[in-house]
Amino acid sequence: MKARAALATFALFALVVRGMGSVDAAPSGIQLDPRIVKLIKTGCGDEHVVSTPTPPPPGALPMPAKLLLIAQAEPSPAPAPTGSPAAPATPAATPTPSPLPSALPGPGQLVPPAPQGTYFPTPPAAPSPTPAAGSTGPVYLVVPTGAPPVIPPAGGSATPLPRPTAPAQTGPTPVPTLGPFQMAVAANEIRGTNREREPWDATGNVHVFYSEGQLIGDRAHYDGDHTITVTGHAYLINKNQDSILYADLITFDTRTRHATLLHGHGESTEGVERGKIHYSAQELNAYNSGISHGERGSFTTCENPHNGYHVEARTIDVFPGSKLIARKAVVFLGPLAILYLPFLVIPLREVSDPRRPTSFLPVLGYSQLEGYYVKMRLGFNPSDTYYGYYRFDYMTKRGLGLGYSAFFGTKSQRRYATFDGYTIDDRLAGGRQTNATLTETDYFSNRLKGSFSAQYTSDYGPGISLPPAWNINAVLSRIGRASTETLSFSRQTQGSLSNSFNLGFVDSITVSPSLSERINVTYGKFSASGLSTDTLHLQDLLHWTTKAADYDVNYDKTDNSVPGLALDKLPEIQIFPHINFHGFRFPFQATMTVGEYAEPQNAFSTQRAELHLTEPVTLKLGVSDFSATEDIRQDYYGTGDAKATELQNMQLTTPVGRHIVNAITYSEGHPIGPADVPFQTLDRLSGGFHQAQETLRIFNGDVYLLQIGAATYFNRQAQALTYQLNVRPSLRSYLLLGGSYVPGPGNGFFATNVQAITGFGRDTTLQISTNVDWKNKGRLGNKTMYLSRIIGNCYRADLSYNQDLKAWNFAISILAFPNQAIGGQIGTFNPSSVIPGGLNF
């Protein structure tokens, strides 16, 4: 019983003595002897005797020449890794198996993992006396043959490596698998004893199997305690076979599940959007927590880093599915070191928070206001409750600008805050300019929530000088079972120019599913340029729903110390009837409104009643489509006045063949009654109008589209003709010409806008936007150019130029990491598609 009390790892050799010819069958799985499985589960006895497996039943899979099963009968007494509490030992009388060494947490942790995939290898949960229900399932024992597998690039067309699968089973033959908490070693030859704390050696095609990976090499040595050493063409590969790591020597601690690799290098597609990531380190350590640490390492996503980029760092730490941290990092573009970063954080997952930047390369450029500039953001991300970036801008005309943006939060997620600050000793403004914003949200309870924000602005941009401004807001909300109360406060000041204060209260009450009420009370004070005013506003809105109609009762009253343009409703009742048209082809909508209205500034009040009707019509006239809308408002007032408005809109669309579509639109409006009587702020009428427009489109699929438009206002004046031509000569090229023609002497063509996209080779795209001034001998103006080139399927270089701003910009984006996107665009150009818009009709 001493061995059980020691709680150490033991080894069991099962030497198969029958028929070496069975090895040549290259089985896809290993049939485990039932006695071996039973011995692993019970884990009892002072030493474990070599047992010869019983002959397999007819039809069972043959076994390899040598098989070594490594199990852990009880929790190991070894201490847990630094920072993790040791798992309590299970009493010896309890036969429940404890978690065995899982898959190597893997040196492959230097590989950015996919958000929804398995990284190499997936770290197990905290040790517990019994395996977790959601633990990794069994793994088929399949010995790869030949050279190490090749990892296909992310998003490539290469066929992925086949995953181990069990052969088709007939009858009661069990599926040959390796349990999630077991380890197995297969080799051509195994020497040693299977006594506890006795060493052994394996040589020739050594494979150490884990539930989620394999450790492979020419030789393996177990020291009899807790260390396995693999040498000779050693490498690690995960279960999904999308990450592989080579090393001169690999050691694995079976107690702490800590793997150490000497001169490790490898590749992976986990967490990479395009291509593969290549990495190396003089010494690489992978811990059972899933975090990997590398000394004097480097990484790149270029197949040829000498022509692309790579990053060398003193240390590299990888947090699977979260981030990659490099300290004392140097960025190389080819053989040239271009940037030193004391601290570099790269998110390894899709993020929408702008405070988690993914680009670590600077942006170079020039503008007329800023001069030559270098701008960059250096991110930090100690945890998911504190992250952000530092901002560094150097502009030859303005000076050095420094910024800090961060997110702060609690683990309970009941309180979080964001801060954004930027300051610059602006040479153009002649002093320091600073912008800062702070927001905070607190969940005091499940029903009580508060938020606060403060903003200070003194930097309005180059060449703009205004007094500093403060903006402070606070909101407190309580969500009850039948009501919601919100109390708000705001204060805005801008030097001596303006000063305002607002306090508000909103109470939303739900009496029943058909009856609700909303009460809003606000008080505000404003002063600017010697003008000061106090305003008190009260609104009570009642909503009632029945089978016949919906009813809104709105009481709205404003008390202002200075008469303005307020309109009081004392009250207003709106009725929205539910009309059953019984299959009527053109159903209309009706709204009835009655109320008492007052204009305090005019000392005038009276009653008002309105009927509003809307009638839509759609018809099929031969091959043409016709649609129209009739809108009528009729108002009556207590003064005896009446007024009305009528609006009509019609459209006729006619296709001519398969490549021509003609559309005619007509609109008219007719006001009836006095314009400003009786109210001056309600129901004001404008003049009548009628206009028509015709649009002719000639197209051929998405190859070309010519659109010509003509309009008339029936005022005996010729209107301009508009034209636009969209042409797509190829899948990677696009041309747009647009402008207008004005009839009459001295008019004609004034300017034509030209936008073009074309490809130069496979990975280069050029975009141009300019205006052709026909009245100035065809001179080109408003020129904007954008050149984008993908280099080595690794990163994209973007160069843009804007004539109006007299500015150019140069940026580099790495394609492999998530959230990398170009910063420049022209018109409606979408970086994910060469063609700005579809031309199909």
Side-chain angles (χ1 to χ4, degrees):
M1 302 300 294
K2 295 181 180 180
R4 177 179 300 177
L7 306 179
T9 302
F10 70 88
L12 172 66
F13 292 89
L15 307 179
V16 181
V17 296
R18 58 189 302 269
M20 294 298 293
S22 62
V23 180
D24 299 332
S28 60
I30 297 177
Q31 181 67 43
L32 303 181
D33 192 299
R35 292 174 294 176
I36 298 177
V37 177
K38 181 178 180 180
L39 186 59
I40 294 175
K41 292 182 177 180
T42 57
C44 60
D46 292 335
E47 61 184 37
H48 307 283
V49 183
V50 174
S51 60
T52 303
T54 57
L61 296 174
M63 297 179 64
K66 300 288 187 277
L67 174 65
L68 171 65
L69 294 179
I70 302 178
Q72 194 168 7
E74 298 175 4
S76 173
T82 303
S84 302
T90 305
T94 303
T96 304
S98 64
L100 304 178
S102 177
L104 293 177
Q109 295 296 342
L110 274 184
V111 180
Q116 300 173 342
T118 59
Y119 51 89
F120 177 69
T122 303
S128 58
T130 57
S135 59
T136 306
V139 177
Y140 302 112
L141 296 182
V142 179
V143 181
T145 59
V150 178
I151 306 299
S157 59
T159 303
L161 296 173
R163 297 186 180 182
T165 57
Q169 299 293 324
T170 58
T173 304
V175 178
T177 61
L178 176 66
F181 296 103
Q182 298 176 358
M183 298 172 60
V185 178
N188 293 338
E189 183 178 1
I190 299 178
R191 297 182 180 179
T193 62
N194 62 334
R195 299 179 183 274
E196 191 165 333
R197 296 189 179 278
E198 291 292 337
W200 52 259
D201 290 278
T203 58
N205 196 25
V206 179
H207 292 267
V208 181
F209 294 92
Y210 299 88
S211 60
E212 294 187 7
Q214 298 180 37
L215 174 62
I216 304 170
D218 294 337
R219 296 172 297 278
H221 172 74
Y222 176 61
D223 63 356
D225 188 9
H226 59 84
T227 303
I228 299 177
T229 304
V230 180
T231 57
H233 303 94
Y235 64 92
L236 294 170
I237 188 168
N238 65 338
K239 177 182 176 181
N240 291 334
Q241 297 189 356
D242 54 8
S243 296
I244 189 170
L245 183 69
Y246 303 88
D248 295 342
L249 181 144
I250 304 176
T251 60
F252 179 68
D253 193 316
T254 59
R255 292 180 180 176
T256 63
R257 299 188 296 278
H258 174 191
T260 302
L261 295 90
L262 183 63
H263 299 149
H265 63 95
E267 60 187 30
S268 176
T269 60
E270 291 177 318
V272 179
E273 293 184 347
R274 181 168 180 167
K276 295 183 290 188
I277 182 171
H278 305 268
Y279 47 89
S280 64
Q282 289 188 4
E283 182 177 306
L284 187 61
N285 295 273
Y287 303 96
N288 64 342
S289 61
I291 301 174
S292 292
H293 174 80
E295 295 288 341
R296 299 189 179 278
S298 67
F299 65 90
T300 181
T301 54
C302 300
E303 294 297 327
N304 186 359
H306 296 290
N307 295 332
Y309 87 96
H310 71 279
V311 178
E312 297 182 2
R314 178 70 60 85
T315 62
I316 298 177
D317 295 280
V318 177
F319 298 80
S322 177
K323 58 194 172 184
L324 182 151
I325 298 178
R327 292 176 173 84
K328 297 184 178 181
V330 179
V331 182
F332 288 81
L333 197 59
L336 180 64
I338 63 171
L339 182 64
Y340 170 78
L341 299 173
F343 189 77
L344 171 62
V345 178
I346 301 177
L348 301 180
R349 59 184 176 185
E350 289 288 341
V351 293
S352 57
D353 195 332
R355 293 175 181 83
R356 286 182 171 176
T358 56
S359 177
F360 55 87
L361 296 175
V363 176
L364 309 177
Y366 171 84
S367 68
Q368 187 178 22
L369 292 176
E370 297 176 337
Y372 294 96
Y373 60 77
V374 179
K375 300 179 181 180
M376 69 175 301
R377 295 181 178 182
L378 181 59
F380 59 87
N381 190 8
S383 66
D384 286 338
T385 58
Y386 175 55
Y387 56 84
Y389 65 86
Y390 301 102
R391 179 179 172 184
F392 302 92
D393 298 340
Y394 178 74
M395 295 155 282
T396 57
K397 290 187 177 181
R398 297 191 63 191
L400 177 64
L402 302 176
Y404 170 77
S405 296
F407 171 88
F408 310 85
T410 60
K411 293 184 178 180
S412 62
Q413 298 182 354
R414 287 186 171 271
R415 184 178 184 182
Y416 57 88
T418 61
F419 177 82
D420 298 284
Y422 184 80
T423 182
I424 180 173
D425 190 3
D426 198 341
R427 301 170 186 169
L428 298 180
R432 181 164 295 279
Q433 305 291 323
T434 302
N435 291 345
T437 302
L438 174 66
T439 63
E440 182 178 355
T441 300
D442 290 272
Y443 290 88
F444 302 104
S445 66
N446 293 335
R447 298 184 180 273
L448 187 62
K449 173 188 175 182
S451 61
F452 171 81
S453 66
Q455 183 179 18
Y456 174 80
T457 304
S458 64
D459 182 10
Y460 296 91
I464 302 177
S465 178
L466 291 173
W470 277 97
N471 190 348
I472 301 175
N473 296 274
V475 178
L476 183 64
S477 302
R478 177 190 174 275
I479 302 176
R481 295 182 180 273
S483 65
T484 300
E485 298 87 20
T486 302
L487 180 64
S488 61
F489 164 83
S490 65
R491 177 71 184 275
Q492 295 89 26
T493 63
Q494 186 172 14
S496 59
L497 296 181
S498 63
N499 189 347
S500 65
F501 165 83
N502 289 276
L503 183 65
F505 174 76
V506 178
D507 188 5
S508 300
I509 306 171
T510 302
V511 181
S512 68
S514 61
L515 183 62
S516 62
E517 184 178 14
R518 184 176 184 268
I519 301 174
N520 182 12
V521 181
T522 60
Y523 171 76
K525 187 175 182 179
F526 174 80
S527 62
S529 302
L531 176 65
S532 179
T533 177
D534 294 331
T535 303
L536 178 64
H537 176 245
L538 172 64
Q539 183 186 24
D540 187 351
L541 179 61
L542 182 68
H543 181 78
W544 182 33
T545 301
T546 66
K547 292 183 179 180
D550 281 9
Y551 302 89
D552 283 345
V553 180
N554 185 14
Y555 181 89
D556 195 321
K557 175 68 175 177
T558 301
D559 185 7
N560 199 321
S561 60
V562 177
L565 299 178
L567 177 68
D568 295 337
K569 302 176 182 180
L570 308 169
E572 178 189 70
I573 301 175
Q574 285 187 304
I575 304 174
F576 306 91
H578 302 161
I579 304 175
N580 190 348
F581 294 95
H582 299 286
F584 184 61
R585 185 174 182 182
F586 306 118
F588 62 88
Q589 297 178 351
T591 304
M592 292 174 285
T593 305
V594 294
E596 175 82 17
Y597 302 87
E599 291 178 338
Q601 66 273 19
N602 301 323
F604 174 79
S605 65
T606 189
Q607 300 80 27
R608 169 180 173 266
E610 180 185 83
L611 177 63
H612 183 198
L613 297 176
T614 302
E615 175 78 10
V617 177
T618 57
L619 295 173
K620 188 72 174 179
L621 303 177
V623 296
S624 302
D625 294 322
F626 175 78
S627 62
T629 302
E630 177 81 8
D631 187 280
I632 299 176
R633 290 178 181 267
Q634 179 66 58
D635 296 290
Y636 297 95
Y637 304 93
T639 59
D641 296 300
K643 62 174 63 177
T645 58
E646 181 191 19
L647 299 177
Q648 298 179 4
N649 294 281
M650 293 173 283
Q651 180 173 346
L652 180 66
T653 303
T654 304
V656 181
R658 300 175 57 185
H659 301 284
I660 300 176
V661 174
N662 188 66
I664 300 176
T665 303
Y666 176 78
S667 302
E668 67 177 14
H670 302 283
I672 304 173
D676 302 328
V677 175
F679 293 102
Q680 297 183 9
T681 60
L682 180 66
D683 300 333
R684 293 177 60 92
L685 298 181
S686 59
F689 69 92
H690 56 124
Q691 62 185 31
Q693 182 176 357
E694 182 176 8
T695 302
L696 178 66
R697 293 184 297 174
I698 304 173
F699 58 89
N700 183 11
D702 58 359
V703 177
Y704 66 84
L705 166 65
L706 174 61
Q707 182 171 289
I708 302 175
T712 179
Y713 297 100
F714 299 97
N715 55 2
R716 297 183 180 181
Q717 294 181 4
Q719 305 299 321
L721 296 174
T722 61
Y723 61 91
Q724 180 173 311
L725 175 64
N726 297 31
V727 182
R728 194 185 73 175
S730 66
L731 295 177
R732 299 185 59 217
S733 59
Y734 173 82
L735 175 65
L736 180 148
L737 302 175
S740 61
Y741 173 81
V742 181
N747 294 325
F749 293 96
F750 282 88
T752 299
N753 178 253
V754 180
Q755 296 187 35
I757 301 175
T758 183
F760 286 97
R762 179 179 179 182
D763 297 324
T764 305
T765 302
L766 174 65
Q767 301 177 57
I768 300 176
S769 176
T770 186
N771 292 330
V772 182
D773 188 355
W774 300 111
K775 297 299 182 179
N776 193 11
K777 300 180 180 180
R779 182 176 179 180
L780 301 180
N782 307 108
K783 293 189 292 290
T784 301
M785 292 182 291
Y786 176 79
L787 180 65
S788 177
R789 177 174 175 80
I790 297 177
I791 300 176
N793 198 30
C794 173
Y795 64 91
R796 181 179 56 244
D798 303 318
L799 178 63
S800 61
Y801 170 75
N802 187 294
Q803 182 189 34
D804 291 343
L805 300 177
K806 294 181 174 57
W808 61 267
N809 187 82
F810 177 75
I812 295 178
S813 300
I814 298 175
L815 302 177
F817 297 125
N819 292 82
Q820 293 294 339
I822 61 177
Q825 61 182 36
I826 294 178
T828 58
F829 174 69
N830 183 359
S832 63
S833 175
V834 175
I835 305 304
L839 304 179
N840 295 305
F841 298 94

